[in-house]
Amino acid sequence: MVWDFAGPAFCLLLWIIQHAAESLLLSAPEVVKATNRGSVKVPCQYDLQYKENTKYWCRGKIYEFCRIVVKTPKNRSTNRTFIADDKEVGVFSVTMTSIRQSDEDKYWCVIATPGRNIFTGVSLFVSQAVTTPTTSTQITPIQDEKSSWVTLRWILFILMLCSLASTHIAEWRIKTARKI
């Protein structure tokens, strides 16, 4: 009966560890706002161990089906989107210009790695308001929301590990008591 609980708990544990680690390797703002015909610069901060990896910016609601808009290794651009990788500080930046309402979508900062890529989502919202034509998003070491979520994941991880260990200890005590 313990293994019925341990299987799903182990899967959840692996998921928590994977996502907690990924959020420390790559961070970007979850939401970016821009004005129609304006521009926006999105910083994607990464761990320096990935400074030589290809980075890219892709578009689509679901990461697995997103379409690559622009990618490194050189500072490349499309008609209205530019990417630059500052390997010294571990940030690749995507600048979108002449933004249109049709550009509003989910985008992804991605680091190409052997096996599974590392990625984080950015939602772009375009407003019709005529204010400053350029919107810039500042880099923060770790986004406050993501930081608290990572902490919560680790707390949940520790609680699940304690629960799993106490269940195994209880089962061991029951088996030991039956032998006496």
Side-chain angles (χ1 to χ4, degrees), residues 4 18 52 65-66 71 89-91 95 100-101 107 109 112 137 155 164 171 178:
D4 291 337
Q18 175 190 2
E52 298 304 323
F65 301 111
C66 72
K71 69 178 182 175
V89 294
V91 175
T95 304
R100 305 174 190 142
Q101 192 66 41
Y107 292 84
C109 295
T137 306
I155 291 170
L164 187 61
E171 182 181 346
R178 286 182 186 161

Side-chain angles (χ1 to χ4, degrees), residues 51-69:
K51 68 182 182 179
E52 298 304 323
N53 292 56
T54 298
K55 286 90 177 177
Y56 60 92
W57 177 252
C58 69
R59 177 180 183 174
K61 299 277 183 237
I62 301 170
Y63 166 72
E64 286 77 7
F65 301 111
C66 72
R67 179 184 53 82
I68 296 174
V69 177

Side-chain angles (χ1 to χ4, degrees), residues 26-178:
L26 178 63
S27 67
E30 290 181 21
V31 175
V32 174
K33 297 177 183 177
T35 56
N36 199 29
R37 295 181 301 213
S39 63
V40 67
K41 184 175 184 177
V42 180
C44 303
Q45 187 173 6
Y46 60 89
D47 189 284
L48 287 175
Q49 68 178 314
Y50 298 107
K51 68 182 182 179
E52 298 304 323
N53 292 56
T54 298
K55 286 90 177 177
Y56 60 92
W57 177 252
C58 69
R59 177 180 183 174
K61 299 277 183 237
I62 301 170
Y63 166 72
E64 286 77 7
F65 301 111
C66 72
R67 179 184 53 82
I68 296 174
V69 177
V70 67
K71 69 178 182 175
T72 62
K74 298 185 179 179
N75 296 348
R76 297 187 181 174
S77 66
T78 62
N79 198 15
R80 299 179 298 118
T81 307
F82 309 89
I83 190 168
D85 187 6
D86 186 342
K87 296 179 181 182
E88 297 301 315
V89 294
V91 175
F92 68 95
S93 300
V94 177
T95 304
M96 297 175 69
T97 61
S98 302
I99 292 177
R100 305 174 190 142
Q101 192 66 41
S102 61
D103 291 325
E104 190 170 278
D105 205 349
K106 181 81 169 198
Y107 292 84
W108 302 89
C109 295
V110 183
I111 300 172
T113 61
R116 183 183 164 113
N117 291 340
I118 300 168
F119 56 91
T120 189
V122 177
S123 295
L124 173 65
F125 293 101
V126 180
S127 70
Q128 295 299 322
V130 180
T131 56
T132 309
T134 303
T135 303
S136 181
T137 306
Q138 298 299 317
I139 302 170
T140 56
I142 296 180
Q143 303 296 323
D144 287 339
E145 281 184 32
K146 287 188 176 184
S147 179
S148 59
W149 180 236
V150 168
T151 303
L152 180 60
R153 287 182 195 167
W154 280 109
I155 291 170
L156 289 172
F157 164 71
I158 292 167
L159 288 172
M160 289 185 61
L161 193 59
C162 290
S163 175
L164 187 61
S166 62
T167 303
H168 284 286
I169 291 170
E171 182 181 346
W172 174 77
R173 285 185 176 169
I174 291 169
K175 286 182 181 179
T176 305
R178 286 182 186 161

Side-chain angles (χ1 to χ4, degrees), residues 1-12 164 167-168:
M1 184 172 235
V2 171
W3 292 109
D4 291 337
F5 168 74
F10 184 70
C11 291
L12 182 59
L164 187 61
T167 303
H168 284 286

